[in-house]
Amino acid sequence: MLKSIVSRLWLSVVLVVVALLLVLGLLLSQLFDNFYFNLQAQNLIEQGQNLGKLVLSSPSDAELLRDLALVEDFLNANVVIMDKSGLIQSVSPGMMWMHRWGGQGRQRLTPPQAAAVLAGRTVVMRGYQPGVNATVLTVAVPIKVADEVVGAVYLYAPLAPITRTIAAVRRLILYGILVTLVVATVLAFFLSRRISRPLIHMERAAQAMAAGDFSPRVNVRTDDEVGRLGQALNHLAEELARTLDALGAERDQLASILGSMTDGVITFDAGGAVLIFNPPAASYLAPLTELTAGQKLGVDISLPELEEAFRQVVETGAVQGAEVTAGAKVLACRLAPLRDPRGTVRGVVCVLLDMTRERRLEEMRREFVANVSHELRTPLTYLQGYTEAILDGLAADPAEEKKYLKIILDETLRLRRLVSDLLDLSRIEARQLALEKGEVNLAELCREVAEKVRPLAEEKGIRLELNVPAALPAAWGNTDRLQQVLINLLDNALRHTRAGGKVEVTAEVQGEELAVSVRDTGPGIPPEDLPYIFERFYKVEKARTRTTAGTGIGLAIVKGLVEAHGGRVWVESTPGRGSVFTFTLPTAGRNIGADGEVNLE
């Protein structure tokens, strides 16, 4: 209950009012108490002075005793007359017990204040009087004659009447306090409700803002501090809403930018924990870990080169680079520091670039140089050897010399084919390949190419099948170049198909295009090699054997020629089940590229 500001404010006001009323009641009670006692004492002092004059002027003791009796009845107070020796000279009827007559003489009155009274001072005191058996107010007034004290008058007034009056006054004060307390309690409750209501609304609005809802507003009705606080809270809500909207827009924009980037981005804190990352980064590091926020570099992500570069960035604040391997991917890492306003490195942003393609292309270029060198060296060796044999007259007869010349011719043709392929690839890459296009009977072209390569297939023990409908529409292209495409695909299939296998050529109509497929039963292509199979100089089979290896440019030429005809080429392969190479061509009805000049972009 006391957690509520209404109850605490109400209780505080009530406690303050109760404390004030109690203090005021005590003060008033003490004030009335002193007032009545002082009033009674002053009255008794005046009467005592008058009695002193009466004692001095009284002609006889009997007359004095009658006067004392009258005074006792009038004042409701007992009177004792004392001489200057402290002996009781006379008493009122109510104090006869104090006066003893006879041989014993008069009783001496020796209260503690007797000396002060006989010294000429008026004494007022209150206390219990044994003879009266009650609490009385005692007033002692000296009797003076020419400034000389000749005696004293003692007046004993019971306090019961005064006490009853004071008790009545105290009851009135208590009733007033109770009534005031009730009124103050009710007023304090409504006042606390009135004061705390806007504070409660502000608290609810603040709680809503803490929960992310900035729509509530405080209804400001006053222009005091509470009203200004409500206005400030409303302004704060508006500013926070605008700021969060701006931050949300920036966050969404940053997320869109990071999501659309092809490079991976990871942000680490100074301790190496992952803060944010984009999908490419998660994809790049998928072979190592399922990237999530909070993972630690060096604990959940094990990349020693990246860890060392991260440490250098944190320690030196300088941009660092590293190259790491994650599964089959080669990643170039660029790390830059994130600084706080004081210049301290509070985090590191790491950009991951997939360099796998570039590294593979570099490797393919190196392999191409080695392959071309091998391909050139072998025929040149044959040419040199057999030419020297003929020149040295090592041929035993014309038949053997003719055999040597036949080998020289074959190797020369092989060199010519290699050079022609290189020239074709160079023209395709330079977009300088001119094509004289026209209608091409694709079914007839497939049969002619199949017949050309059938002897090679039979020699290798491979079954070559042709499933091409005779009623295929005419394609639009260059007959010689399309023959080159099909021959390269069949040559590739025959080289990678073992004896007893099968190579199949199919063709069909797909919408406004013709699709030709070459299917083999070879070993297939690993998934990691599929994206690069049409790259120049790329070879799945790395061994350089004269039976299976090529220069690695045949499929690149296929891709360039197909795209020059406005078609597409792709491969589907499952390791152990062979591969299917498919390319498309526009039909003659579309009449694409009639001028014979092709732009390869």
Side-chain angles (χ1 to χ4, degrees):
M1 177 180 177
L2 293 181
K3 292 183 178 180
S4 169
I5 188 172
V6 176
S7 59
R8 285 187 292 175
L9 183 60
W10 170 78
L11 183 60
S12 300
V13 173
V14 170
L15 290 177
V16 169
V17 171
V18 168
L20 291 177
L21 290 177
L22 287 178
V23 172
L24 183 61
L26 292 175
L27 291 177
L28 288 176
S29 176
Q30 188 66 32
L31 177 63
F32 280 109
D33 192 355
N34 294 333
F35 172 76
Y36 280 111
F37 277 111
N38 291 334
L39 183 63
Q40 182 70 3
Q42 187 64 31
N43 183 36
L44 292 178
I45 290 172
E46 293 177 357
Q47 297 301 326
Q49 292 173 351
N50 294 329
L51 282 175
K53 296 177 182 179
L54 182 63
V55 170
L56 294 176
S57 61
S58 177
S60 63
D61 291 338
E63 186 68 24
L64 178 61
L65 185 60
R66 286 195 300 272
D67 292 338
L68 292 179
L70 292 175
V71 171
E72 183 179 63
D73 293 336
F74 177 75
L75 295 179
N76 191 24
N78 303 121
V79 182
V80 175
I81 306 298
M82 182 181 72
D83 62 14
K84 64 179 181 179
S85 300
L87 297 176
I88 295 175
Q89 182 178 1
S90 179
V91 296
S92 63
M95 298 294 289
M96 292 301 294
W97 60 273
M98 296 183 64
H99 198 54
R100 299 177 181 177
W101 304 95
Q104 295 179 353
R106 291 177 292 176
Q107 182 179 346
R108 181 179 293 276
L109 184 64
T110 57
Q113 292 80 8
V117 175
L118 294 176
R121 295 194 297 271
T122 300
V123 177
V124 178
M125 59 181 179
R126 52 183 169 178
Y128 180 75
Q129 183 65 33
V132 181
N133 196 22
T135 301
V136 297
L137 174 63
T138 303
V139 174
V141 179
I143 302 173
K144 296 181 180 181
V145 176
D147 294 332
E148 181 182 354
V149 178
V150 295
V153 176
Y154 277 79
L155 297 173
Y156 298 93
L159 293 178
I162 300 176
T163 304
R164 285 193 296 269
T165 303
I166 293 175
V169 172
R170 285 176 176 172
R171 282 194 297 272
L172 290 176
I173 293 175
L174 180 60
Y175 294 152
I177 289 176
L178 292 177
V179 173
T180 305
L181 181 60
V182 172
V183 174
T185 301
V186 175
L187 292 178
F189 177 76
F190 285 104
L191 180 62
S192 62
R193 285 287 300 272
R194 180 179 177 82
I195 295 176
S196 62
R197 185 178 293 111
L199 297 178
I200 293 174
H201 292 166
M202 293 179 197
E203 187 268 341
R204 292 173 181 170
Q207 291 289 348
M209 284 191 286
D213 181 12
F214 298 96
S215 59
R217 294 292 182 270
V218 179
N219 187 10
V220 179
R221 297 181 179 178
T222 60
D223 195 27
D224 54 7
E225 290 82 357
V226 176
R228 290 193 293 273
L229 178 60
Q231 293 174 354
L233 192 63
N234 291 338
H235 180 67
L236 175 63
E238 295 173 358
E239 291 299 321
L240 284 177
R242 281 196 292 268
T243 302
L244 285 183
D245 289 340
L247 290 176
E250 292 181 2
R251 180 193 59 205
D252 295 340
Q253 183 178 5
L254 177 61
S256 299
I257 293 174
L258 291 178
S260 62
M261 291 178 62
T262 57
D263 298 331
V265 178
I266 307 176
T267 302
F268 300 95
D269 63 14
V274 176
L275 298 178
I276 59 174
F277 59 90
N278 64 348
S283 174
Y284 291 160
L285 298 183
L288 299 178
T289 181
E290 184 177 352
L291 195 61
T292 57
Q295 288 183 325
K296 290 271 289 192
L297 184 62
V299 179
D300 305 298
I301 305 172
S302 180
L303 290 171
E305 298 85 353
L306 183 61
E307 296 168 23
E308 177 62 22
F310 176 85
R311 186 182 64 81
Q312 291 292 335
V313 173
V314 173
E315 291 180 356
T316 65
V319 176
Q320 300 289 331
E323 187 168 288
V324 300
T325 302
K329 291 186 177 296
V330 179
L331 303 175
C333 306
R334 181 82 170 176
L335 294 89
L338 297 174
R339 303 180 185 274
D340 58 19
R342 295 174 297 177
T344 306
V345 177
R346 61 177 178 84
V348 175
V349 60
C350 175
V351 179
L352 304 176
L353 288 80
D354 186 3
M355 302 297 293
T356 308
R357 179 186 179 86
E358 286 73 9
R359 296 294 179 265
R360 291 202 176 190
L361 288 177
E362 291 177 3
E363 182 181 355
M364 287 188 294
R365 290 188 182 96
R366 290 193 297 268
E367 290 182 356
F368 170 73
V369 173
N371 289 337
V372 170
S373 299
H374 178 78
E375 294 293 333
L376 291 175
R377 183 179 60 184
T378 300
L380 289 176
T381 300
Y382 277 110
L383 290 175
Q384 179 183 357
Y386 285 107
T387 302
E388 289 176 351
I390 293 174
L391 290 176
D392 293 341
L394 296 180
D397 52 38
E400 187 172 359
E401 183 177 349
K402 184 177 181 181
K403 175 184 176 182
Y404 290 169
L405 292 174
K406 177 67 168 57
I407 293 175
I408 292 173
L409 178 61
D410 290 342
E411 295 302 325
T412 302
L413 293 175
R414 181 180 175 191
L415 284 174
R416 182 178 179 180
R417 287 194 302 272
L418 177 59
V419 173
S420 297
D421 287 346
L422 291 174
L423 289 175
D424 287 344
L425 182 60
S426 176
R427 290 171 183 168
I428 291 172
E429 290 180 344
R431 297 179 177 85
Q432 296 176 351
L433 184 65
L435 296 177
E436 295 291 338
K437 293 184 180 180
E439 292 187 0
V440 179
N441 188 333
L442 197 58
E444 183 63 26
L445 184 142
C446 291
R447 280 192 292 271
E448 289 178 1
V449 173
E451 292 302 321
K452 286 182 180 181
V453 301
R454 192 176 298 278
L456 178 61
E458 292 175 351
E459 179 182 348
K460 298 184 66 173
I462 299 173
R463 188 169 73 255
L464 179 61
E465 295 184 0
L466 186 65
N467 295 317
V468 179
L472 276 178
W476 185 258
N478 183 279
T479 302
D480 293 336
R481 292 303 182 180
L482 292 181
Q483 279 189 357
Q484 185 179 2
V485 169
L486 199 53
I487 288 174
N488 284 355
L489 291 178
L490 285 172
D491 178 68
N492 180 74
L494 292 173
R495 280 190 295 109
H496 292 89
T497 302
R498 298 183 181 90
K502 183 180 72 171
V503 174
E504 181 183 10
V505 180
T506 61
E508 61 180 353
V509 178
Q510 291 184 352
E512 296 183 356
E513 295 181 322
L514 299 175
V516 181
S517 299
V518 177
R519 185 186 306 270
D520 64 61
T521 59
I525 303 172
E528 62 271 17
D529 290 320
L530 285 175
Y532 312 99
I533 198 66
F534 291 104
E535 296 292 340
R536 57 190 183 278
F537 320 134
Y538 188 80
K539 293 195 304 177
V540 176
E541 176 60 50
K542 302 299 188 295
R544 299 189 188 98
T545 64
R546 294 183 62 83
T547 57
T548 61
T551 59
I553 60 177
L555 293 179
I557 292 175
V558 167
K559 180 181 179 183
L561 290 175
V562 170
E563 291 178 350
H565 282 80
R568 298 173 295 116
V569 62
W570 67 91
V571 61
E572 299 173 353
S573 181
T574 302
R577 295 188 177 183
S579 306
V580 181
F581 285 83
T582 304
F583 67 92
T584 62
L585 296 171
T587 59
R590 294 175 61 185
N591 197 21
I592 297 179
D595 57 355
E597 194 69 27
V598 176
N599 186 352
L600 297 183
E601 294 184 350

